[in-house]
Structures are given as structure tokens and as C-alpha cells.
Amino acid sequence: MSSEQIQGTVADGFESVRAEFAAVAAAEGGDYAAQLVAHVDGERVVDLWTGPEMTGDSLTGVFSSTKGAAHLVVALLVQDGVLDLDERVAHYWPEFGAAGKDRITLRELLAHRAGVVGADGGFTAEEIADDRVIAERLAPQRPYWRPGTAFGYHALVIGALTGEVVRRVTGRSIQEHYEDRIRKPFGLDFHLGLPEELEPRFLTTQPMLPTPEQLAQLEANATGPDSITGIAFNRNHPKAPELWDLPNIKLVRQLSPASVGGVASARGLAGMYAAAISGSEPLLRPETAAEFAQIHSIGDDLSTRNHNAFGLGFAIVSDDYPVLGQGAFGHSGAAGSQAFADPRSGLAYGYNRRRFAFPGGAAPENVRLVSAVHAAVTA
């Protein structure tokens, strides 16, 4: 794919980012369709897209990048003094204290240390779509490890758990807070609950197309449905929807479970993190951003069975991209999206792709793209 097929604009000094995006597109080939956006100190300096059907306004499911929006709400409520990170979850939500979960704090929950990664028997597609149902199922659930002793990615349920705390305290859902305090004031194309009138802009997620070697690798690393990994990714339900297909289910787009149900463009992803750290009145005070970006869990993740690093609700993105400053925070999504803020450089980054990338999680090309953007920012 030539650079002429890359659409959009870059500011002076960011031409190298356009060239790197073109190189990624050429390497990916086929029907690669993606968006890349970056802001520096609140100003959009990169706005690029490429591929069949993709425009700068196209919306796709962003999977776990949704967790960034959900936990920006939680950070705001902590900043307001409405929530206390070191209060027990059961103080806010008494039913959650069942089965040995009575001493888990909100801080431990946000750091993926609670051990409630899923439910015995798993969830139907309809249950996965509804945070209230997930919370109801998980309140009596026994944890899958002793809370606080280890961590494991609560991939499909963390937003429902933190969301129920938010609802019990404020009477409103994370999605409602997000709409009123974040999305609407900043005009963000990042939706927790896709309005019907925006459905024509939505592009379905396409399944992974692994090479024979990649397929062999996936099969070699397969885990059983009743393992912690199987439970965390809902493979313990006989009729569980495929992970890649979740945003293609209209009920998921409508209800937008706070763990995985967001729909966005890269403009929306980067714009949210720009609003968090930039401008005369950023959403987060520096001390709040620093608290949520501090490492709380790092090492072997019991759910993903690989190395991981989490702050509070956010991933420690500098663990994946060492060029970033200490205190960078954000979240990737299963199909390949990546979004974050790097307060030290003023960078807010958003990347989105349509086809599910191997091996799942932040797409590998983000390493090249983040490096190119950061080099341009700091040149």
C-alpha cells in the first residue's frame, strides 16, 4: 500500500508518522483498515486512516479500550471524594461481600486483584451485554483465588463490578456519567451505548485470519474452558459468543457493557485522553492521574498467562512502549485498538483497526506507530 492511499492530515513535523503508517499498511496488506490519531497538549497533530470502507468518521467496536472510558469515570468520582479507593467494595455494595469477598477494597478490584474474573457456568451473549446482570451473577460468586494474593485480568467483568459500585453510590450507571461528564462536553466520537442514528457509521469487526504458523501457536497455547483463563474469557459457557464478534451484536452496542462494549473512532479514543490531561481545565488533576497510573499489579497474570501491568482500571502502557514516560495510562482492546495519555509529553494517542489482530490485545503494529509518534512529539 503506497502513502497515497493513506488518507487524512498530519501537522508539520509529523510527516514521519504518515510514512510509518503507510509502511504498516503495506506490511499488513490485504484488506487492512485502520485509523491513527494523536494530540499533543490538546492539539490534534495526526489524523490518518486507510483501507476499504474506512473513513476518519468510521466507528468500530473497541473492546477493552472501553475500560479506559469506564475508569476515567471512576477516577473522576474518586477525585470528587464520592468514592474512596481504600473502602471495602461490600461497604458500597453489601451483596458483593458473600463467599469470602467481604474485605476486597475498591483499589484491589480496580487492580484486577479480586479474583472474580467470571462466573461458574459462564455467560450468554445477552448476559455479557448487560452489566447489571453480570453484577448480579458475580455478587454470590466465590473468587477463583484468594483476593489480594495475585492478579488476573477481569477481562469481561471489571466494568460491571466497578459499575455496580458507581451505581450503588450515585444512583447512576458508569455509562450515564460518561455521557454527561466526558463524551457530550467534549463532543467525543467514543460511545458507551451507540445511538441508533449513528449505526450507519459502524463497521463490523472482522475475524482474525491467522497464518498456519500463528494458528499452530494459538492451538499450542490453548487452555481448558474451566481454567482461570477459560472462565475469564467466558469459554466456560457452551453457547458463548466468539470474542471477536461481540461488537457485531447490536444489543452489545446498545447497552455497551463497560468492560468491552464501547464503539469509537480513533479520533474519539485520542480525544478522550486529550481531555483527561490537556487544556486549561483537564478532567484529571495531576495527582489523580498519577494515582491511577501507579503500578498496582505487575508480573504473571493468572488470566492471560503472560506478563501484564495494571494501575487502577488502566493498563500501564509504558510497560509495552518503553519510550513513554512514567505515569502514562490507557487501555488496549482485543481487536488491536490502543489508546492512552502520556502526561509527561502531553501526548494522547488513539489507534483503531477493523480486522482482529493476531494474537489479540493491542495490535503489534502499535509498537512502530507509538515510537514514530513519540519521536515526532519529542523531536
Side-chain angles (χ1 to χ4, degrees):
M1 188 174 287
S2 68
S3 59
E4 288 75 34
Q5 291 170 283
I6 303 298
Q7 305 296 309
T9 59
V10 294
D12 290 346
F14 287 82
E15 296 84 2
S16 58
V17 177
R18 187 187 191 104
E20 190 65 24
F21 190 45
V24 165
E28 288 282 323
D31 59 359
Y32 173 72
Q35 303 163 326
L36 175 65
V37 174
H39 294 237
V40 179
D41 297 329
E43 178 188 353
R44 191 186 294 169
V45 293
V46 174
D47 184 13
L48 300 173
W49 63 91
T50 191
E53 298 187 73
M54 185 67 78
T55 71
D57 286 327
S58 296
L59 301 169
T60 72
V62 295
F63 295 85
S64 289
S65 290
T66 309
K67 294 178 175 74
H71 294 121
L72 183 52
V73 169
V74 175
L76 288 172
L77 293 173
V78 169
Q79 182 171 272
D80 294 345
V82 174
L83 295 175
D84 180 348
L85 289 169
D86 296 310
E87 183 58 85
R88 294 175 304 111
V89 174
H91 170 78
Y92 299 121
W93 173 17
E95 297 91 328
F96 181 79
K101 304 194 301 301
D102 54 303
R103 301 182 68 179
I104 296 170
T105 64
L106 180 58
R107 185 185 297 275
E108 288 173 318
L109 177 61
L110 286 162
H112 296 272
R113 305 187 73 84
V116 198
V117 292
D120 293 342
F123 301 101
T124 65
E126 291 75 22
E127 288 174 321
I128 283 290
D130 193 330
D131 281 344
R132 293 289 301 280
V133 173
I134 294 173
E136 201 172 279
R137 288 279 311 278
L138 294 182
Q141 176 65 51
R142 186 175 182 82
Y144 293 98
W145 63 85
R146 186 179 177 187
T149 60
F151 78 99
Y153 186 34
H154 289 50
L156 298 177
V157 302
I158 188 72
L161 294 169
T162 54
E164 186 64 14
V165 172
V166 169
R167 192 184 70 81
R168 293 296 179 110
V169 175
T170 69
R172 306 180 75 224
S173 69
I174 271 182
Q175 291 85 347
E176 289 170 324
H177 284 284
Y178 171 77
E179 179 68 16
D180 291 347
R181 295 192 65 174
I182 301 170
R183 197 209 66 77
K184 198 181 291 181
F186 294 94
L188 299 175
D189 236 351
F190 185 172
H191 304 272
L192 302 195
L194 186 64
E196 185 64 35
E197 63 269 20
L198 298 185
E199 279 285 340
R201 289 169 51 200
F202 173 73
L203 298 181
T204 53
T205 299
Q206 298 168 328
M208 186 191 299
L209 292 176
T211 65
E213 294 78 15
Q214 290 171 339
L215 185 59
Q217 189 176 328
L218 290 171
E219 290 172 347
N221 292 325
T223 54
D226 293 315
S227 64
I228 287 178
T229 304
I231 293 164
F233 290 92
N234 199 43
R235 293 203 298 272
N236 59 333
H237 191 285
K239 295 183 179 178
E242 293 287 347
L243 179 62
W244 70 266
D245 203 31
L246 280 177
N248 300 337
I249 300 169
K250 191 168 186 181
L251 186 65
V252 172
R253 298 198 297 277
Q254 289 175 328
L255 297 182
S256 190
S259 298
V260 293
V263 173
S265 65
R267 290 171 181 167
L269 292 169
M272 185 188 76
Y273 283 100
I277 65 165
S278 305
S280 58
E281 291 188 29
L283 284 168
L284 296 183
R285 295 195 291 265
E287 60 270 26
T288 308
E291 175 92 61
F292 275 72
Q294 189 175 44
I295 295 171
H296 281 65
S297 298
I298 190 166
D300 293 330
D301 183 312
L302 293 180
S303 298
T304 64
R305 298 171 66 243
N306 56 24
H307 178 86
N308 237 333
F310 292 106
L312 296 177
F314 296 98
I316 304 299
V317 287
S318 58
D319 196 55
D320 294 313
Y321 313 110
V323 296
L324 300 179
Q326 186 277 331
F329 62 96
H331 219 291
S332 63
S337 63
Q338 178 63 273
F340 61 79
D342 181 8
R344 291 177 185 267
S345 65
L347 170 63
Y349 174 96
Y351 174 76
N352 206 10
R353 58 174 284 157
R354 186 176 185 187
R355 185 173 293 286
F356 206 100
F358 173 86
E365 63 267 19
N366 278 292
V367 174
R368 297 173 60 177
L369 296 172
V370 170
S371 293
V373 172
H374 190 266
V377 170
T378 54

